[in-house]
Amino acid sequence: MMKLAPSLLSADFSCLLDEALSVAPLASRLHWDVMDGHFVPNLTFGPPVVNALRRRLALPFEIHLMIDRPAEYAPQFDVLPSDTIIFHVEALDPVDRTIAAIRRTGAAVGVSLRPGTPIERVLPFLDEVSTVLVMSVEPGFGGQAFLPGALDRIRALARARAGRGISIVVDGGIHAGNVAGVVAAGGDVIVAGSAIFAAADRLGAMRALQEAAR
Ligand code: DX5
Ligand code: ZN
């Protein structure tokens, strides 16, 4: 069964704990989109907010850093060994420093790339990460349309990871109408924001995603 990672970017920020609990029964992990207003033209939340929620929730966290300085800020996350911190290969900090900084937190390391970045940019790091997150929209906002070019990129990464225990996470624009194609291409973890949080019946929407992927 594919893993579902609800993205709290589409939740009601005035009650993030309740919003996270509303999807927890069918979630494999919770996806937190950290944005700095520089790497992407949007601002969300950072370590103080994520850490406060980390203390109140049992599910693994997947922290998606859409920020220029991931090596500088990774140490500020109080994470568990079951969590993953994902940085962007296009960020300003040198990749080696970022990977080392994330490792020191105790979390697993993930790397992500924008839809226009050649996948060759992440291949040199496949032995050092446990997750590759393929963006299927331009990072920055929820509710955008899935970019179909992501499917070939997922397939290429699924071939390139051969033999390594790397999860492929796919993030952006996924709903019950396209999730089957994403899973068939090689996606292991499906991030969904608006498809879950905009639904009146969120657990029903999550079940619909699981069924559509079968
Ligand atoms: C976009 C974020 C995504 C976003 C996905 O920059 O990385 O995690 O929340 O939202 P949907 O599923 O609505 O495209
Ligand atoms: Zn994300």
Side-chain angles (χ1 to χ4, degrees):
M1 209 154 86
M2 75 175 184
K3 293 184 170 155
L4 260 182
S7 166
L8 278 294
L9 183 62
S10 296
D12 179 346
F13 279 14
S14 74
C15 48
L16 280 172
L17 177 61
D18 289 340
E19 292 287 84
L21 291 170
S22 78
V23 297
L26 296 179
S28 295
R29 46 174 94 174
L30 296 166
H31 185 92
W32 302 95
D33 287 307
V34 174
M35 305 186 189
D36 65 353
H38 293 275
F39 185 79
V40 287
N42 195 6
L43 281 163
T44 51
F45 39 71
V49 171
V50 175
N51 292 344
L53 290 156
R54 173 65 294 178
R55 292 191 285 272
R56 303 290 298 276
L57 290 157
L59 279 171
F61 275 23
E62 178 174 276
I63 302 169
H64 181 189
L65 298 181
M66 284 163 276
I67 64 177
D68 273 347
R69 298 285 181 195
E72 186 178 333
Y73 288 98
Q76 297 185 23
F77 289 93
D78 301 326
V79 286
L80 302 175
S82 49
D83 297 334
T84 306
I85 298 180
I86 300 172
F87 69 97
H88 268 264
V89 73
E90 308 91 348
L92 300 181
D93 286 336
V95 169
D96 292 356
R97 269 189 52 214
T98 301
I99 289 175
I102 295 174
R103 275 212 193 108
R104 282 194 294 271
T105 69
V109 182
V111 64
S112 179
L113 66 179
R114 299 178 186 273
T117 301
I119 65 158
E120 286 70 24
R121 287 279 301 277
V122 303
L123 300 184
F125 309 110
L126 289 188
D127 286 326
E128 294 168 75
V129 302
S130 58
T131 292
V132 178
L133 183 149
V134 177
M135 289 295 320
S136 40
V137 298
E138 285 298 336
F141 299 92
Q144 304 180 73
F146 182 85
L147 298 170
L151 295 173
D152 274 343
R153 294 159 63 76
I154 297 163
R155 280 189 278 267
L157 278 164
R159 282 193 299 272
R161 73 176 160 180
R164 302 178 183 91
I166 291 178
S167 304
I168 298 180
V169 179
V170 188
D171 185 7
I174 300 176
H175 52 75
N178 60 16
V179 67
V182 174
V183 171
D188 306 302
V189 181
I190 300 300
V191 178
S194 47
I196 293 172
F197 284 98
D201 174 7
R202 290 169 177 176
L203 295 177
M206 293 171 79
R207 271 184 224 105
L209 280 164
Q210 286 289 6
E211 270 153 37
R214 264 193 217 122

